[in-house]
Amino acid sequence: MPETNDIVVEKAQAGRPHQGKVFVAVHAHLDDVPYYAAGLCAKLMAEGYTGYLIRTSNDEKRGGQSAAKNILANEQEHQKMAAALGFRDVYDLYYQNHEMDAVSSLDLRGRLIFLFRYLKADTVVSFNPWGHGEENPDHWKTGHAVEEAAWMAGVETDYHEHAEAGIQPHEVLERYYFHGRPGQAYNRVVDIGAFIEKKIDAIVECRAQGGGNLGSQLRARLAREGKRLPLLGNDDRTADREYVREFLLDHDRDFGRPHGLTFAERFYYVDQRRPAVSKVDDYARRNAVAL
């Protein structure tokens, strides 16, 4: 497990400095990205990135209905959540929920390698593959596969048939790994204050799981009792948004407070980009003499 380096506070950049770059967020369940990284994803897209979203499980066990109805509800809400954040496209891999530890690592990794190459991903956002205290098998299975695929996507001798089909090797050199559990390492705190409304937009679409409709449920219960909470407003949409703002963003407030930020998300950030001119080429340029 990597050590936590000096913490860098990452703030929003003016303009669109990342125009032309691509990031892929990979999570296991409908509500993972909304809670762990919605602010970061909105920030990256505002700065010029094109974003794509991959969900590895089918979420069949969340939603309170039959497995088939849960799968459908989570799929539909996943599309709405992605649209709320501004992702260009969504890919669902449909591995069985809470049983991904039995999935072939080779199969999952191979599918991710294909997508990273096809989308020409520069950056990935996902679970920390070394994450301490992660009990959910779908999370750690996804995190390990993402880490491996991000490297192997750049190895030309792996899956050579991709190149024959016109999909070239493309190594993913920047990675933001979620701070998903207490005690996990992090070295990057991202200021999401300017993007908190987008994060709320994403969470309220997570109704099968994630608490997106708890506000409207509370509003309805209080109405049956002849009561109302002014916080929840006069309609269900307002109730859901204000419930999220008041009750479901405490971690983001806590993460921001030590750095003077209203809301923040934590990540373990890895940057493997190489300088435009290598150390060897630079040395040769400065020291070579004529024969």
Side-chain angles (χ1 to χ4, degrees):
M1 180 175 174
E3 296 180 357
T4 299
N5 300 326
D6 292 338
I7 295 171
V8 172
V9 175
E10 180 176 323
K11 292 181 174 289
Q13 300 183 56
R16 296 177 67 81
H18 300 304
Q19 190 71 41
K21 295 180 71 175
V22 171
F23 82 89
V24 179
V26 187
H27 63 170
H29 309 115
L30 165 66
D31 59 346
D32 292 330
V33 159
Y35 277 99
Y36 295 139
L40 170 69
C41 291
K43 171 184 173 295
L44 293 178
M45 286 185 274
E47 293 171 347
Y49 268 96
T50 297
Y52 294 92
L53 184 62
I54 299 173
R55 181 177 59 127
T56 56
S57 91
N58 65 4
D59 278 325
E60 66 177 10
K61 295 181 174 68
R62 299 301 302 273
Q65 305 180 86
S66 67
K69 289 181 178 179
N70 286 344
I71 291 170
L72 178 59
N74 279 278
E75 178 187 288
Q76 292 172 335
E77 292 174 18
H78 195 233
Q79 292 284 344
K80 291 178 181 177
M81 180 274 290
L85 280 175
F87 283 100
R88 176 167 291 183
D89 207 350
V90 175
Y91 299 87
D92 290 304
L93 303 188
Y94 296 109
Y95 291 105
Q96 197 159 5
N97 190 195
H98 288 174
E99 299 182 19
M100 284 189 61
D101 49 331
V103 167
S104 163
S105 297
L106 183 64
D107 180 71
L108 176 56
R109 185 175 68 210
R111 295 176 78 180
L112 292 174
I113 289 171
F114 173 82
L115 286 169
F116 292 168
R117 288 175 171 177
Y118 173 68
L119 299 171
K120 297 181 173 61
D122 300 292
T123 302
V124 291
V125 180
S126 193
F127 302 98
N128 190 330
W130 312 283
H132 171 77
E134 181 53 78
E135 71 276 10
N136 190 315
D138 300 349
H139 290 187
W140 58 256
K141 189 76 173 189
T142 298
H144 279 286
V146 168
E147 169 75 1
E148 295 164 357
W151 165 64
M152 290 180 67
V155 180
E156 63 183 13
T157 50
D158 285 307
Y159 300 95
H160 59 84
E161 65 273 18
H162 290 178
E164 293 174 13
I167 299 172
Q168 300 302 317
H170 189 89
E171 188 174 6
V172 184
L173 297 176
E174 289 183 86
R175 303 162 199 182
Y176 288 86
Y177 291 132
F178 306 148
H179 181 266
R181 297 287 186 264
Q184 288 187 0
Y186 67 96
N187 59 8
R188 182 76 41 128
V189 172
V190 178
D191 179 5
I192 64 166
F195 305 99
I196 199 63
E197 298 304 321
K198 296 292 285 185
K199 179 158 187 160
I200 293 171
D201 288 343
I203 293 174
V204 297
E205 298 297 347
C206 301
R207 305 167 73 83
Q209 58 181 310
N213 58 346
L214 290 177
S216 54
Q217 290 179 357
L218 176 58
R219 179 171 174 266
R221 178 171 66 81
L222 290 173
R224 290 193 296 270
E225 299 170 0
K227 303 174 185 176
R228 63 180 293 270
L229 272 178
L231 169 74
L232 302 180
N234 298 313
D235 61 88
D236 286 349
R237 182 72 175 179
T238 301
D240 289 336
R241 290 184 58 81
E242 295 311 310
Y243 186 100
V244 170
R245 190 190 311 276
E246 184 69 21
F247 300 112
L248 301 185
L249 298 176
D250 287 350
H251 285 305
D252 302 289
R253 293 186 178 92
D254 292 344
F255 293 165
R257 191 171 295 114
H259 308 281
L261 305 175
T262 307
F263 297 98
E265 292 168 346
R266 289 175 175 174
F267 300 90
Y268 192 88
Y269 175 71
V270 178
D271 187 354
Q272 296 182 329
R273 291 174 294 174
R274 293 172 281 277
V277 178
S278 72
K279 183 177 180 179
V280 172
D281 288 342
D282 180 61
Y283 182 89
R285 178 182 59 81
R286 290 183 291 103
N287 295 282
V289 298
L291 292 174

